[in-house]
Amino acid sequence: MKGFVPMSFGKKHQQKQPAQEVHSANQRKGRGGSGLAPASAESKGGVSFGPRFTDSATAAGARLRADKAEAKPAPSKADEEDADVKKPLAEPEEPEGPPDALPEPGKESEVLPVSHEVTIPVLAGKAVTAICLDPKGSRMVTGGLDGNLKFFDFNGMSEEKQCFRELEPVENHMVQAVSFSITGAQVLAVCSDSSARIYDREGTAKPIQSTVKGDMYVRCLEHTKGHTQTLTDGMWHPFQQEEFLTSSLDGTIRIWNMNADPVGMDQQLPQIHVLKTLDKRNVCIGGGSGKAGGLYPTCCTYSPTDAKKIVGGCSDGSVQLFFEKARYSKPDKILRTAHTAPITGVAFVPDGGHSNLLVTRSMDNTMKIWDTRMLSDAKGPLKVFENLAASHEKTGLCVSPDGRFIVTGTTLTKGALGSSTVRVFDAKTFSSVKTLDFGKRNALRFAWPTEINQLLVGTGNGDVVMLYSPFSSKKGAMHFVGRKAKAKADPQEELGSGPIFNMTDKNDIQKFYSTGHGDMKKIRRGEVRAAQKTLIPMRPEESGTKMPDSDFGNFAALALKMGAKRLHLNNTRQGSDSQEALLNYQDKINSGKAADSLMGPAYAGNANILDWDVELGEGDQRMNEKMQGEFCGKCGMKMCRCTNYTKWGEGSKKPRTS
């Protein structure tokens, strides 16, 4: 009977999906067991087991089935032929590997976060060429070949995985690199033009500041204030929030400071240091504009632990290292034969407070590890990883925050056989730890933030793949996986039923034609304005002349009323002329019959109220004394030969008669 009686009434709230079921949908394919108890385990009053027990049971069952298959006798050829005839044609299934070993209690943070994945669509068929996260791991900024920056907020995202801001720094220029400052308040955007731009974390369309473009006709590159050709890479200083680094086709790496004095009409930033990359002739001429024999830095980075080393990977396969100093000039160490093709990525491996290991990735299908303490072509690298296909110039690499793992990807040309992979290597033993199949998605850019412990991969088809583990990862993808998007209200319900017009009323006819032009919002605003309760201002008393409906009219009416009261006028608006009444009252004042007046008492003690005499100063008085006498009315002189005394001097001299 209880099954037919509802236990609660009203609208039921949607129950939250268990976290294990949410993450099981994002588990990578080809991984054996799902790590979850089957649905039947939660049957009526049944016992449900944890994921650790079910995984062990799954592994034991797999071993038992394998033992039975080995003990089974081999079928005869006739049986095989009959089976081939009866068996339908089907595509071969991908082999399922054994599930990852579950972490021991207390060691969940040591698990490699690659067991689950979630895909964020960023671009439509175009490669993601730049990716970065803020220090807290709450926001992500991506850039691609379309030249747009997209800002994502993991805390506010849902399963729709949409960005909250999108902007284009410069038209028709791809994004080369993006980097957050150490505080996470500013974003460095490096595009394929000659100026880098600084934006705030909210993605405001107008940049906070930009770098100045140098004079391309100045041959000595340290004498110009900025890059003269296309930028290739950039990075914010790992410890100082004012400094950042950029590299360019002009053959230089430049250091900038946000506190530097702006220059030019646009008040842009000039560089504070110029680092020159040298070719085989020890000359810096850059590699742009078709310069023969020139080279340029394709990528650059700081050492993460102390920022005392700056390395640049160049287009000829060389690696050039600069140590921190007060004034930079030439590189301190150069590896001329590091690679045989342009370098696509460089990174340091942190080891406590030092960063002595350097990892380089190149388009010669290799990745090499070097020791910066004995960096030379004669000693060579510590380890060479070969057969890592790199067909894209943005094929990068990254190092885990604790320095234990090195991650890179393989990229294939269009139409090539095989699939792209993400390779994880141990930074201590240089052995392969994990290989992840990405199919036809070329793995280009990588990021492994410390705060969230998740591996982000920017692919060649425009997606960002977030690899994580429910055991060792936090924040990031854990915020929006399983979070349903808010249901959008039906636009028809928001508008409600359409308005009803009376086609015999001219006002309704006018409203009807206004709706056809898309002015429905204007009509709604007018209706609300007409229906609201307004405060009608106080009007003056009725009269023959209309007073203005304003505060000035109210004040004027009050002034007239008080004036009439002071003048002992009963009413100036009931049939009598106000001017005539005032003139009559003036006659009373002149005759002295008025006991009270408005102006009389104020000026009673001042008899010379209309005296316009002006007291002259001493200088004016002396001038007037000098001007007294006879002057010629023609030339203005006292003694003249004009003998024209028609106006002046009529009393002393006689005018000429002949």
Side-chain angles (χ1 to χ4, degrees), residues 232-233 247-248 296-300 312-316 342-345 394:
T232 58
D233 198 4
S247 60
S248 171
Y296 60 91
T298 57
C299 51
C300 59
C314 299
S315 58
D316 65 341
I343 295 178
T344 59
K394 285 294 182 180

Side-chain angles (χ1 to χ4, degrees), residues 564-593:
K565 183 178 180 181
R566 291 289 304 274
L567 298 177
H568 302 285
L569 301 177
N570 295 330
N571 196 347
T572 60
R573 300 179 183 272
Q574 295 180 357
S576 60
D577 189 5
S578 58
Q579 182 180 6
E580 182 180 358
L582 290 174
L583 291 176
N584 295 335
Y585 188 77
Q586 184 64 30
D587 296 339
K588 294 181 180 180
I589 293 175
N590 295 336
S591 61
K593 296 181 179 180

